Amino acid sequence: MSVNLKSNIKHFSAIFFVSNRKKVMDYYSKLGFWCDYEMGFVERDGLMLIFHESENPKSIIPNSPLHGKEALHIFAMVEGIDGLYEEFMSKGAVFHYTLKTNQYKMREFAIIDPQGYTIGFGEFLD
């Protein structure tokens, strides 16, 4: 007997350890993310991040110092990259790298949060 069970992954959540959860969450709140300070969740348009305070803050090592200037922790595909970039710029985002067109015919930029975690955003050109 064959059972056909269909499944669907609905969204993705990344968990990051931080030394000061409130400071990191305040940054994302400023950029327009919904924040649940009690649970440590931030979310915007299906991109969810979960922040936990580390018991050993000295053990937190973001990717960029280890793997180079453009190393990222997360990369999200978006629609309307130019508008998102302008919005984040107007809200005081700190950019890991500014809006550019890469060799893959994609427009992209990346932000960096107070803990040093980086999120890239990209959109393929037509």
Side-chain angles (χ1 to χ4, degrees):
M1 179 168 151
S2 174
V3 177
N4 185 9
L5 299 176
K6 184 177 179 179
S7 63
N8 184 26
I9 297 172
K10 298 177 97 174
H11 58 83
F12 167 82
S13 301
I15 300 172
F16 294 114
F17 287 87
V18 296
S19 60
N20 184 331
R21 184 165 78 176
K22 182 182 180 324
K23 181 178 179 180
V24 171
M25 291 183 70
D26 285 348
Y27 175 76
Y28 287 99
S29 177
K30 177 177 77 168
L31 297 182
F33 284 72
W34 168 84
C35 296
D36 179 335
Y37 282 82
E38 184 178 339
M39 297 298 293
F41 297 168
V42 303
E43 189 271 334
R44 180 169 172 161
D45 302 328
L47 172 62
M48 180 179 276
L49 308 174
I50 302 170
F51 295 104
H52 294 293
E53 294 247 349
S54 175
E55 292 181 11
N56 184 3
K58 292 180 181 177
S59 68
I60 301 168
I61 304 171
N63 283 343
S64 56
L66 298 174
H67 302 291
K69 178 183 169 211
E70 294 189 7
L72 300 172
H73 294 90
I74 296 176
F75 192 86
M77 296 301 293
V78 302
E79 292 178 3
I81 191 81
D82 294 290
L84 185 63
Y85 180 76
E86 292 295 325
E87 178 189 345
F88 281 1
M89 189 172 10
S90 73
K91 292 179 175 179
V94 177
F95 291 96
H96 186 56
Y97 56 85
T98 57
L99 188 61
K100 65 182 181 179
T101 301
N102 68 24
Q103 71 264 27
Y104 308 111
K105 297 185 180 179
M106 178 187 294
R107 302 238 328 131
E108 69 174 85
F109 69 90
I111 61 172
I112 186 166
D113 72 20
Q115 187 65 63
Y117 292 115
T118 53
I119 302 176
F121 298 90
E123 179 176 32
F124 282 110
L125 300 172
D126 291 330

